[in-house]
């Protein structure tokens, strides 16, 4: 399975490598691209697979000149968005002056009411990324990809998306004056479609699921029709993925430069989870947080649970599934980073768990009524999985735990359809009393 994944990547890499690779490009502390499998390094460019072994490329940095206390002060004096961490990201030093959607620095909510419901005594927090410009964590990754697209001279931004990414790309392209043309499964929630279309770019529905959309984009990238296009999650993926590190940075800074003990993270492609781990490791190496163990738990919906199934079976390869769940934003049946997620869950002592659609809906309502946070289905998955992990003894309620809500419930209203009026009354007190509301 890993071999199959790499073979696909290889052919795509060969095609994108036809675009320029430029070692003089200025993306701040980003020094090169490095293969996650064999460590082979290549200059920064719009490539994403290793020419030696076809493994995925990621950003390698030069942080050697940083002094811990100076860096901490610089971050704390920075803007209230992800660019406060620009010294740790593949972006130019003057990034905050460029037109971008400037996401991040979202609330870390101390969720005491939810903690009581779940029996968590060690401190429970919800990192609420619905507060981003297009109401999902995808703004973080797109903001990085936009800077890379600018550096490499692309003028069109594109992506394959389960919904949220399409909106984030549309908005970022609009702000920065790029053309955008994005691809989604044709049958997504109306909220996702409208949120992607309203920014004025082209939005194309593909008859198929996300994995079909992704395959189509891989073909397009190698065709003259896709020339000059920056696909944020394909040929710009190494840059894009780094945006998720900012979730780890923010969580630790908001905890007073402290690592949480446990994190519960949703999995679609698995990229977010792997980069949160990378971000935590960087903070430890840079001395910004004290080194101590932490556990990362992955969360999936039962109707699309390839990583959870592999985790429970003790496998280190992920068998693709055909998704069927209301958690459409997480509906990637063949997750590119699945094997890395398994490594991280096992290395940190975490786990990967899944919940069914009914549990997702219950969890959305639980979070809303306890903390006033209206999560999309992906947030229902993480909260539902947190509850299940506590019940089955895998997550320790006596430890500090951060649960991610990565998107806004307004985009997935159908999931809670039927939630509505308590009563309809005539505009007088008798009617109010009759309804039993007095
Ligand atoms: C709301 C939301 N949360 C989480 C994810 C998971 O992201 P990843 O593909 O990095 O695992 C997605 C992906 O589309 C998403 O839309
Ligand atoms: Zn390699």
């Amino acid at each position: 399975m890993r071999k199959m994944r790499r073979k696909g990547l290889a052919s795509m890499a060969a095609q994108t490598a036809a675009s320029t690779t430029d070692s003089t490009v200025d993306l701040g502390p980003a020094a090169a691209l490095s293969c996650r499998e064999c460590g082979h390094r290549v200059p920064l460019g719009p490539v994403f697979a290793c020419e030696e072994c076809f493994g995925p490329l990621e950003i390698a940095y030069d942080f050697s000149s940083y002094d811990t206390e100076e860096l901490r002060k610089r971050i704390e004096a920075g803007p209230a968005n992800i660019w406060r961490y620009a010294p740790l990201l593949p972006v130019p030093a003057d990034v905050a002056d460029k037109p971008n959607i400037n996401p991040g620095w979202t609330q870390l909510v101390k969720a005491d009411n939810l903690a009581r419901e779940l029996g968590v005594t060690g401190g429970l927090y919800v990192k609420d990324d619905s507060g981003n410009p297009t109401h999902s964590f995808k703004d973080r990754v797109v903001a990085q990809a936009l800077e890379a697209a600018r550096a490499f001279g692309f003028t069109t931004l594109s992506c394959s998306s389960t919904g949220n990414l399409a909106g984030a790309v549309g908005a970022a392209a609009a702000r920065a004056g790029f053309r955008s043309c994005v691809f989604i499964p044709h049958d997504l929630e109306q909220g996702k479609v409208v949120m992607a279309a309203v920014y004025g770019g082209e939005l194309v529905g593909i008859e198929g699921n996300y994995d079909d959309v992704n395959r189509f984009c891989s073909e397009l990238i190698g065709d003259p029709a896709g020339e000059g296009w920056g696909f944020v999650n394909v040929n710009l993926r190494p840059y894009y993925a780094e945006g998720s590190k900012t979730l780890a940075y923010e969580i630790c800074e908001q905890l007073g430069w402290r690592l949480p003990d446990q994190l519960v993270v949703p999995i679609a492609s698995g990229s977010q989870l792997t980069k949160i781990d990378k971000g935590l490791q960087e903070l430890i190496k840079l001395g910004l947080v004290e080194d101590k163990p932490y556990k990362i738990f992955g969360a999936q919906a039962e109707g699309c649970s390839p990583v959870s199934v592999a985790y429970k079976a003790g496998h280190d390869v992920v068998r693709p599934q055909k998704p069927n769940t209301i958690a459409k934003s997480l509906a990637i049946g063949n997750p590119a980073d699945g094997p890395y997620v398994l490594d991280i869950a096992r290395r940190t002592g975490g786990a990967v768990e899944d919940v069914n659609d009914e549990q997702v809906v219950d969890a959305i309502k639980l979070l809303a009524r306890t903390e006033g946070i209206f999560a999309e289905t992906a947030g229902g998955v993480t909260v539902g999985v947190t509850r299940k992990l506590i019940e089955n003894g895998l997550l320790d309620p006596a430890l500090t735990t951060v649960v991610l809500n990565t998107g806004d419930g307004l985009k997935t209203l159908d999931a809670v359809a039927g939630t509505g009026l308590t009563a309809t009354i005539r505009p007088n007190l008798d009617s109010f009393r009759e309804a039993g509301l007095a």
Side-chain angles (χ1 to χ4, degrees):
M1 159 57 208
R2 241 188 218 203
K3 262 204 181 118
M4 260 173 54
R5 185 167 58 88
R6 290 199 201 137
K7 215 169 147 205
L9 285 173
S11 60
M12 284 186 258
Q15 287 148 354
T16 50
S19 340
T20 51
T21 19
D22 181 356
S23 57
T24 62
V25 72
D26 176 19
L27 285 171
L33 292 169
S34 160
C35 175
R36 258 149 104 179
E37 292 290 329
C38 77
H40 178 68
R41 281 164 82 107
V42 294
L44 297 172
V47 289
F48 58 98
C50 176
E51 61 201 352
E52 297 289 324
C53 77
F54 316 136
L57 296 173
E58 69 173 344
I59 311 285
Y61 295 93
D62 180 7
F63 294 152
S64 59
S65 64
Y66 292 158
D67 170 83
T68 304
E69 285 319 308
E70 269 172 28
L71 179 60
R72 192 194 311 272
K73 280 195 198 125
R74 192 167 149 197
I75 290 171
E76 288 174 350
N81 59 48
I82 55 170
W83 305 133
R84 65 200 282 110
Y85 306 107
L88 306 178
L89 295 169
V91 293
D94 62 348
V95 62
D97 302 329
K98 297 184 186 296
N100 202 309
I101 43 176
N102 305 333
W105 204 242
T106 55
Q107 290 187 74
L108 182 70
V109 178
K110 181 115 195 305
D112 291 339
N113 301 326
L114 180 62
R116 261 192 303 279
E117 288 268 345
L118 298 180
V120 175
T121 54
L124 180 64
Y125 296 83
V126 175
K127 179 61 173 168
D128 186 13
D129 245 21
S130 65
N132 278 313
T134 73
H135 304 272
S136 90
F137 96 97
K138 291 291 184 184
D139 290 323
R140 296 177 185 272
V141 283
V142 170
Q144 316 294 316
L146 173 62
E147 295 309 321
R150 222 188 313 255
F152 299 131
F154 292 119
T155 51
T156 298
L157 275 192
S158 185
C159 67
S160 52
S161 170
T162 56
N164 283 312
L165 184 58
V169 167
R175 177 75 53 87
F178 280 60
R179 176 189 169 204
S180 74
C181 181
V182 302
F183 301 93
I184 56 173
H186 70 110
D187 59 351
L188 288 186
E189 304 96 331
Q190 197 199 0
K192 296 267 168 66
V193 174
V194 172
M195 273 295 285
V198 75
Y199 303 106
E202 289 138 65
L203 175 68
V204 182
I206 303 266
E207 291 171 10
N209 61 28
Y210 173 81
D211 298 291
D212 298 314
V213 178
N214 207 24
R215 251 191 314 276
F216 166 76
C217 286
S218 306
E219 264 183 60
L220 180 55
I221 215 167
D223 189 274
E227 220 173 280
W229 289 30
F231 285 81
V232 302
N233 54 345
V234 189
N235 55 355
L236 298 175
R237 190 172 181 84
Y239 309 89
Y240 154 99
E242 295 294 289
S244 289
K245 293 195 307 178
T246 60
L247 276 162
Y249 301 155
E250 285 181 23
I251 288 167
C252 291
E253 187 179 351
Q254 289 168 323
L255 287 173
W257 293 111
R258 209 163 46 85
L259 288 167
D261 299 315
Q262 306 176 121
L263 298 105
V264 185
V265 181
I267 301 167
S269 72
S271 170
Q272 179 184 187
L273 188 147
T274 64
K275 296 303 172 182
I276 285 176
D277 181 57
K278 185 179 181 187
L280 297 176
Q281 290 295 320
E282 286 175 351
L283 294 184
I284 292 169
K285 285 196 195 102
L286 288 160
L288 286 166
V289 296
E290 200 180 310
D291 190 3
K292 70 171 184 68
Y294 59 84
K295 295 182 179 183
I296 300 189
F297 296 88
Q300 295 208 291
E302 189 181 288
C304 183
S305 51
V307 189
S308 168
V309 166
Y311 175 82
K312 290 175 186 175
H315 295 163
D316 59 6
V317 291
V318 174
R319 187 177 299 165
Q321 288 184 3
K322 227 182 167 89
N324 180 18
T325 169
I326 58 166
K328 294 188 181 190
S329 56
L330 304 183
I332 297 184
N334 189 9
D337 285 295
Y340 299 109
V341 168
L342 292 171
D343 290 346
I344 291 166
R346 291 183 178 130
R347 169 170 56 75
T348 65
V352 186
E353 185 53 277
D354 57 82
V355 282
N356 64 34
D357 285 355
E358 201 184 322
Q359 291 167 318
V360 172
V361 173
D362 284 351
I364 290 173
K365 291 179 179 171
L366 173 65
L367 181 62
R369 82 175 155 75
T370 53
E371 297 299 338
I373 297 171
F374 184 21
E376 76 138 89
T377 44
V381 168
T382 50
V383 172
V385 160
T386 303
R387 174 149 67 180
K388 193 165 170 183
L389 288 168
I390 293 169
E391 281 165 9
N392 61 23
L394 291 173
L395 191 134
D396 186 344
L399 297 177
T400 306
T401 303
V402 176
V403 180
L404 268 66
N405 171 39
T406 48
D408 194 323
L410 284 172
K411 292 198 216 177
T412 58
L413 284 173
D414 278 357
V416 287
T419 312
L421 298 174
T422 305
T424 303
I425 62 169
R426 293 180 301 285
N428 61 57
L429 284 170
D430 283 345
S431 184
F432 180 67
R433 288 197 184 89
E434 270 165 34
L437 297 167

